[in-house]
Amino acid sequence: MTTPAPGGGPSDAELPFFVYGTLLPGEPNHDLFLRGRTTGERPAVLPRALLYEGPGYPYAIEGHSRVHGTLLVAAPGIYGELLGLLDHLEEFLGPGHPRNLYERVVREVELPGPGGGSVRAWVYLAATAVTRSLRTGGVLIPGGRWTTGRTPGGS
């Protein structure tokens, strides 16, 4: 179940981020926005979600499958800066804003492997209008793993 982001309220302060597209390690936006701003990155899975092709980047929406990606932890002292950068990149103007491209929401993300479990994280899901369009005519990405020209397995 998705919990709307309360505008970055104090109860959700400094959650990690789950990324699944151009912010993945090896993708161009990883270097532009994340290099030097994270202290931890590990493979993770977003349950109850579907992944769709977008115009050069993917969209995740609520669904019956899983999306593979990476869990990122912000470096000490720059959480607010990183949150602002990612909100700008993802065109998130505030919870429910009609011009949002994505909504920033809190979701449980699974951590596979030893020491796994799950953790609450910020996830950018397609906004309502985009989701409607994807459900009616979008191209689903089988297996929930987005790649461009990078080597598979570098989720």
Side-chain angles (χ1 to χ4, degrees):
M1 172 64 65
T2 299
T3 305
S11 63
D12 290 317
E14 305 213 8
L15 288 176
F17 298 90
F18 175 80
V19 299
Y20 54 85
T22 65
L23 290 164
L24 289 168
E27 293 295 338
N29 283 339
H30 183 275
D31 284 350
L32 288 173
F33 292 91
L34 301 174
R35 183 174 300 282
R37 293 185 173 104
T38 65
T39 59
E41 300 181 358
R42 67 182 286 187
V45 176
L46 177 65
R48 298 173 308 283
L50 296 168
L51 196 61
Y52 281 88
E53 288 287 349
Y57 47 86
Y59 293 103
I61 67 170
E62 299 285 345
H64 60 276
S65 193
R66 300 159 61 82
V67 172
H68 298 268
T70 299
L71 187 72
L72 308 168
V73 176
I78 63 153
Y79 187 85
E81 173 192 347
L82 182 58
L83 185 65
L85 284 169
L86 296 181
D87 281 354
H88 180 74
L89 173 68
E90 306 294 5
E91 296 182 41
F92 172 71
L93 303 174
H97 194 285
R99 292 190 302 137
N100 282 349
L101 184 60
Y102 291 89
E103 289 286 339
R104 177 169 35 93
V105 297
V106 177
R107 289 284 304 268
E108 288 290 321
V109 174
E110 298 171 355
L111 303 171
S118 66
V119 64
R120 288 168 30 99
W122 287 121
V123 180
Y124 291 89
L125 297 179
T128 303
V130 175
T131 296
R132 273 195 302 270
S133 175
L134 292 170
R135 288 193 189 280
T136 59
V139 176
L140 187 65
I141 298 174
R145 190 181 305 269
W146 187 76
T147 58
T148 55
R150 61 195 179 86
T151 306
S155 65

